[in-house]
Amino acid sequence: MLDKYFSAPKTLRRLRGGISGPHIDGFADSLEREGYAPASAVRYIRAAAHLGCFVQRKCGVLADIDLNTLASFSQHLRRCRCPHFKRGKISYHAHFGVKLFHQHLVGGGVCASEPVQNATATPVLVSAFRDWFQAHRGVKEPTLRQYTRGATDLLQTLGEDVCHWKAEALRRFLLQRASQCGIPTTQKLITSLRAFLRFLNFLGETRDDLALAIPAVAHWRLARLPRCLSAEEVGRLVAACDGTDHRRFRDRAIVLMLVRLGLRSGDVAQLRLRDIDWNNGTLQVIGKGRYQVRLPLPQDVGDALLRYLECRPANIHTDHVFVRTIAPCGPFASGDGISSVVKHALKRAGIETPSKGAHLLRHTAATEMLRNGVPLDQAGLVLRHRSIDMTAYYAKADVELLKQIAQPWPEVNG
């Protein structure tokens, strides 16, 4: 595999001749497999060979490489006089390349893995709450982080002797945190604190239901108009994903899935190949609370998916439908990557809107369903809303329909 990046026999012998040599070809193969550009791979391979030279001059072996060795190598780069390695400005690629090579050695069992440094250990009660909440609610990792963050902050502030907590102290804690953030963040904190306090009451750790002591924040639910795109803007957004490379094909498929089916960003990120039923033209989606639904696959969405899958990199071994195009290539870790795709597509289309994430397209899909006469209950099934009131929220965006039913304002006689 090294021959793909270097052709000079002298260079190949030198790279394979040091103590890094037995692992250089495997490292080069992993770089190609993870989708790194050839120019970047060349720099990382040179850095790996340079690290081996540095360790060998210190009379060490590859098994000795750890984070302290990498730090010493970084200092060495500032005054390096090693032959065969370019001197001058310290490159970011050298630092990043040796980190990748160290990870490759750890994965191959050559070096010992570094212990995870956890500055603040998770309290026992919070760990138990996390396990209990995941088992009973089936929530995903981002939601768990949000709920446990609030519980940990509460324990650190009021102390771990929960049986002595008072309602006044809980209210002071919330009001102090609310003064430092906006209403949406405060509402999430209220929800997480109430869930944690109910859990403590369930365990018998508290005498009273302290969840009732957490005050609510004045905020009218569904008071704002939903943000959505017009039909002309949707057309511009889809056109901004036109192209001939697999990245544009991927972006087009993602945008169409969001705007036609109203999926959440996490739904798209976690979509698997087995979830698509090509024979029946349906798509299975597993959303919040492990709620499963099978949706029809529109023709344009199916065509975009097929075009993308035909040119998707074959060396990425995953059953996720969508993968990143920036190395290391692989599945999206969360819905944030899908929102980033939408954000860049909006920028290419020249569409300015306060909301730039994937949820903007979900709002657009919901609004379009209602504008086209889809009943509220059916639109709610597609969007997987637990309450029909949430679906009705999007009906407020149809200004033309509201004009037809609005009553004329009575004239005032002077």
Side-chain angles (χ1 to χ4, degrees), residues 158-237:
L158 301 186
E160 298 191 9
D161 191 1
V162 297
C163 62
H164 289 92
W165 285 359
K166 302 296 182 183
E168 295 79 7
L170 290 170
R171 283 195 289 268
R172 284 197 304 270
F173 170 82
L174 177 64
L175 293 175
Q176 194 274 333
R177 294 298 186 273
S179 64
Q180 302 174 352
C181 57
I183 290 179
T185 304
T186 302
Q187 288 181 317
K188 293 177 182 177
L189 178 61
I190 289 173
T191 304
S192 63
L193 292 181
R194 286 176 176 172
F196 181 56
L197 291 170
R198 292 189 189 104
F199 169 72
L200 295 179
N201 191 35
F202 169 76
L203 293 181
E205 298 286 343
T206 55
R207 292 188 298 270
D208 302 317
D209 188 3
L210 292 179
L212 298 176
I214 301 296
V217 175
H219 182 66
W220 285 266
R221 185 172 179 263
L222 309 180
R224 296 185 309 172
L225 284 174
R227 297 189 178 102
C228 60
L229 300 179
S230 65
E232 185 270 337
E233 288 174 327
V234 170
R236 286 164 51 194
L237 180 63

Side-chain angles (χ1 to χ4, degrees), residues 24-276:
I24 283 288
D25 282 275
F27 180 51
D29 182 55
S30 68
L31 292 175
E32 185 195 29
R33 187 169 57 251
E34 293 177 357
Y36 286 95
S40 298
V42 167
R43 296 188 183 100
Y44 299 157
I45 292 169
R46 290 187 185 275
H50 194 172
L51 177 65
C53 176
F54 170 77
V55 172
Q56 191 171 18
R57 290 179 62 184
K58 298 289 185 180
C59 300
V61 294
L62 290 181
D64 298 331
I65 298 177
D66 54 15
L67 296 181
N68 292 329
T69 306
L70 299 185
S72 299
F73 180 72
S74 296
Q75 295 296 324
H76 162 76
L77 289 176
R78 302 179 184 277
R79 56 181 185 277
C80 174
R81 294 296 183 268
C82 296
H84 309 299
F85 296 104
K86 294 182 180 180
R87 297 185 293 271
K89 184 179 179 180
I90 304 304
S91 172
Y92 157 80
H93 296 281
H95 296 286
F96 189 64
V98 295
K99 289 181 181 179
L100 288 178
F101 185 56
H102 179 234
Q103 294 172 7
H104 176 73
L105 295 177
V106 170
V110 178
C111 299
S113 58
E114 296 289 337
V116 178
Q117 300 295 329
N118 191 3
T120 56
T122 303
V124 176
L125 275 177
V126 175
S127 297
F129 168 63
R130 176 191 176 92
D131 296 339
W132 177 83
F133 200 66
Q134 185 177 32
H136 288 79
R137 296 292 296 274
V139 298
K140 296 184 178 180
E141 187 62 30
T143 305
L144 285 175
R145 285 198 299 268
Q146 173 192 317
Y147 275 70
T148 55
R149 188 185 303 120
T152 302
D153 190 12
L154 184 63
L155 281 174
Q156 292 175 347
T157 304
L158 301 186
E160 298 191 9
D161 191 1
V162 297
C163 62
H164 289 92
W165 285 359
K166 302 296 182 183
E168 295 79 7
L170 290 170
R171 283 195 289 268
R172 284 197 304 270
F173 170 82
L174 177 64
L175 293 175
Q176 194 274 333
R177 294 298 186 273
S179 64
Q180 302 174 352
C181 57
I183 290 179
T185 304
T186 302
Q187 288 181 317
K188 293 177 182 177
L189 178 61
I190 289 173
T191 304
S192 63
L193 292 181
R194 286 176 176 172
F196 181 56
L197 291 170
R198 292 189 189 104
F199 169 72
L200 295 179
N201 191 35
F202 169 76
L203 293 181
E205 298 286 343
T206 55
R207 292 188 298 270
D208 302 317
D209 188 3
L210 292 179
L212 298 176
I214 301 296
V217 175
H219 182 66
W220 285 266
R221 185 172 179 263
L222 309 180
R224 296 185 309 172
L225 284 174
R227 297 189 178 102
C228 60
L229 300 179
S230 65
E232 185 270 337
E233 288 174 327
V234 170
R236 286 164 51 194
L237 180 63
V238 175
C241 299
D242 289 342
T244 57
D245 64 336
H246 70 278
R247 179 182 299 184
R248 286 287 190 267
F249 291 151
R250 183 205 63 180
D251 293 357
R252 184 183 181 89
I254 288 175
V255 167
L256 285 175
M257 292 192 73
L258 293 169
V259 80
R260 298 285 189 260
L261 298 174
L263 300 182
R264 298 183 177 92
S265 58
D267 300 334
V268 179
Q270 298 302 318
L271 187 66
R272 308 297 180 98
L273 294 172
R274 62 175 178 268
D275 295 331
I276 306 175

Side-chain angles (χ1 to χ4, degrees), residues 248-383:
R248 286 287 190 267
F249 291 151
R250 183 205 63 180
D251 293 357
R252 184 183 181 89
I254 288 175
V255 167
L256 285 175
M257 292 192 73
L258 293 169
V259 80
R260 298 285 189 260
L261 298 174
L263 300 182
R264 298 183 177 92
S265 58
D267 300 334
V268 179
Q270 298 302 318
L271 187 66
R272 308 297 180 98
L273 294 172
R274 62 175 178 268
D275 295 331
I276 306 175
D277 186 350
W278 296 106
N279 293 327
N280 297 312
T282 60
L283 188 75
Q284 178 174 280
V285 179
I286 303 176
K288 290 183 177 180
R290 292 175 290 197
Y291 182 78
Q292 298 185 23
V293 65
R294 186 162 290 279
L295 302 175
L297 189 63
Q299 186 65 45
D300 56 348
V301 179
D303 292 340
L305 274 173
L306 279 175
R307 186 175 301 175
Y308 164 65
L309 292 174
E310 287 174 354
C311 65
R312 195 184 72 157
N315 58 348
I316 301 177
H317 303 292
T318 177
D319 63 341
H320 285 78
V321 174
F322 298 106
V323 295
R324 302 189 307 270
T325 57
I326 299 176
C329 298
F332 288 97
S334 66
D336 293 341
I338 301 297
S339 288
S340 180
V341 170
V342 175
K343 178 180 178 180
H344 287 90
L346 288 169
K347 184 177 181 180
R348 291 196 303 270
I351 299 174
E352 293 294 334
T353 174
S355 176
K356 296 185 181 298
H359 225 64
L360 172 67
L361 302 188
R362 178 173 169 85
H363 291 332
T364 302
T367 304
E368 284 300 313
M369 288 182 202
L370 297 179
R371 283 176 178 170
N372 292 325
V374 178
L376 282 178
D377 55 345
Q378 295 183 20
L381 288 175
V382 175
L383 297 170

